[in-house]
Amino acid sequence: MIEGFRFYSWPWLIGIPIAVGFLLWYGHPKRGPQVIFSSLDGLIDLPKSWIQKLKPLLLFAEFLGFALFFVALARPQYGRSESRISGQGIAIEMVLDVSGSMEALDFQLAGREVDRLTAVKKVVRDFVIGSGASGLAGRRDDQIGLIAFGGFADSKCPLTLDHGALVEMVDALQVPKLLRDRRGRVINEEAVQEERATAIGDGLALGVDRLRNATAKSKVVVLLTDGDSNAGAVDPREAAAIAKELGVKVYTIGIGRTGTVPFPQEDRFGGIIYVPTQFRVDEELLKEIATTTGGSYFHASDSVGLLEVYAQIDRLEKSDLEETKFANYVELYPWFAGVGFLMLGLVHVMRQTRFRSLV
């Protein structure tokens, strides 16, 4: 609820400085009546009457009258307005691939090369929070959750309206890394190999399960991956069938270039080298998942394309909200108009009587 003073037709206020300029020009002494004398030296020391002292105030009173007149035309009002929003947002599960291939270096941000996961984090953040530079308004009315999957699926954030906390969890996502002991020996190689696989079916199934009890009218999964399903306990097509049964729409996004892409690997000294590596996105599977659930498939091979994909999803999935506005204002213009006309009338009468000048 907003309570206070406002001008309903505020452009009329522009007339005030115009009136000031006109009155200063019109009331300039050189424009008034003039009588030629050889010298005024003898008149300088004559005492001024109270009428002469008050006469300059007529110009100020005239200006004030015109100002009040324009204020009245601007329709000053006092009261309150109130907005009520009804309806429901959309429940969205962001299902993001954090498998090993997401370290491939074929994206760019701000002119520098970055890996796929870094580019995804930036665009997802803009999609959730909004960004003027990206042209995304944000999803402030939607409950959004986060699932990360590699060889296993993990729920990182439940459905929430606390989007600030959500994007912090998105920023914290990492591809599983090798750990070394004090002697430099890898201690988790087998576990990392399992975690760096791609279990698309598990990720989708977990995302659909998190939407099962959501109260939103529309339920959506945005599944992003750059690879081929090669791990997991759930077949992606079975997960898609479950999504369809529960009324969950799935938008699938395949990212990255298909073919040879620079990929970081550790050398025997623990340093990072980039090795050309072949990658493949299973587009047929992603298209089938989207078609089964009534969603759409998109492919993005660079940062610009990825941003456009999320912009398209943003346009396709709009929250069904209604805003009702109430306003109760009292018109104040009669007071300003009345006082303004009264002052202009008094100035006119006084200039035609006691303050009249020679013509």
Side-chain angles (χ1 to χ4, degrees):
M1 181 175 66
I2 301 175
E3 183 173 351
F5 183 85
R6 72 175 186 180
F7 289 102
Y8 188 77
S9 303
W10 62 266
W12 281 103
L13 296 175
I14 299 174
I16 295 178
I18 296 176
V20 172
F22 174 76
L23 290 175
L24 291 176
W25 171 77
Y26 185 78
H28 195 278
K30 291 185 178 181
R31 288 190 47 81
Q34 300 179 7
V35 178
I36 299 176
F37 286 90
S38 59
S39 176
L40 296 177
D41 293 341
L43 303 176
I44 293 177
D45 296 329
L46 291 178
K48 292 184 178 181
S49 67
W50 65 272
I51 293 178
Q52 290 174 305
K53 294 179 180 179
L54 292 179
K55 189 172 183 180
L57 295 179
L58 290 181
L59 184 63
F60 175 76
E62 192 171 24
F63 154 69
L64 187 58
F66 274 111
L68 290 172
F69 173 72
F70 281 109
V71 169
L73 288 176
R75 289 185 62 186
Q77 300 173 338
Y78 183 83
R80 65 181 183 181
S81 64
E82 182 177 356
S83 297
R84 296 177 184 174
I85 298 178
S86 59
Q88 290 184 321
I90 298 169
I92 303 174
E93 278 290 345
M94 310 292 293
V95 181
L96 303 182
D97 188 346
V98 292
S99 62
S101 56
M102 291 294 286
E103 287 187 318
L105 204 69
D106 56 350
F107 277 72
Q108 285 193 343
L109 285 178
R112 64 184 182 91
E113 291 187 340
V114 297
D115 59 62
R116 295 171 177 178
L117 184 57
T118 299
V120 168
K121 289 179 182 180
K122 171 64 168 63
V123 176
V124 169
R125 182 185 186 90
D126 291 347
F127 177 77
V128 175
I129 299 295
S131 168
S134 299
L136 295 170
R139 312 291 304 194
R140 65 175 187 174
D141 300 308
D142 299 330
Q143 297 183 69
I144 304 177
L146 175 64
I147 305 290
F149 72 93
F152 309 96
D154 185 17
S155 179
K156 296 293 186 180
C157 181
L159 290 171
T160 181
L161 289 171
D162 187 355
H163 295 164
L166 174 69
V167 297
E168 287 182 6
M169 295 180 187
V170 172
D171 290 339
L173 292 177
Q174 289 186 343
V175 173
K177 303 292 185 182
L178 294 174
L179 298 178
R180 298 179 180 274
D181 61 18
R182 293 180 179 178
R183 297 181 179 180
R185 294 175 300 184
V186 177
I187 60 176
N188 65 337
E189 184 173 2
E190 185 176 345
V192 167
Q193 290 301 323
E194 293 180 0
E195 292 176 1
R196 291 169 70 96
T198 307
I200 294 176
D202 287 8
L204 177 56
L206 184 55
V208 171
D209 183 66
R210 290 294 182 267
L211 290 170
R212 183 189 300 272
N213 297 320
T215 58
K217 185 178 179 180
S218 181
K219 304 175 185 180
V220 172
V221 168
V222 180
L223 171 66
L224 181 145
T225 183
D226 69 340
D228 187 5
S229 185
N230 54 20
V234 181
D235 184 274
R237 293 171 178 83
E238 292 180 2
I242 296 173
K244 179 182 179 181
E245 183 179 343
L246 295 177
V248 177
K249 188 185 300 182
V250 182
Y251 291 99
T252 55
I253 306 172
I255 69 165
R257 299 197 305 265
T258 298
T260 302
V261 178
F263 184 75
Q265 292 185 5
E266 284 192 11
D267 59 22
R268 59 181 179 176
F269 303 106
I272 299 297
I273 59 174
Y274 287 91
V275 178
T277 307
Q278 285 286 125
F279 289 102
R280 172 183 175 272
V281 179
D282 192 346
E283 293 191 285
E284 293 303 319
L285 173 62
L286 297 179
K287 290 177 182 178
E288 185 177 343
I289 292 173
T291 302
T292 299
T293 62
S296 301
Y297 167 73
F298 304 91
H299 182 262
S301 58
D302 55 30
S303 298
V304 175
L306 184 60
L307 177 61
E308 178 57 29
V309 166
Y310 275 92
Q312 290 184 55
I313 296 174
D314 191 51
R315 290 190 292 267
L316 289 170
E317 293 296 333
K318 291 295 183 182
S319 299
D320 185 17
L321 299 174
E322 295 180 357
E323 182 176 9
T324 305
K325 294 185 178 181
F326 304 90
N328 183 18
Y329 284 91
V330 177
E331 294 281 358
L332 302 179
Y333 75 87
W335 296 95
F336 289 89
V339 175
F341 280 120
L342 178 62
M343 294 192 70
L344 290 176
L346 286 174
V347 169
H348 178 73
V349 170
M350 294 172 72
R351 282 189 171 171
Q352 296 301 318
T353 54
R354 198 69 180 82
F355 290 87
R356 187 171 185 176
S357 299
L358 294 175
V359 180

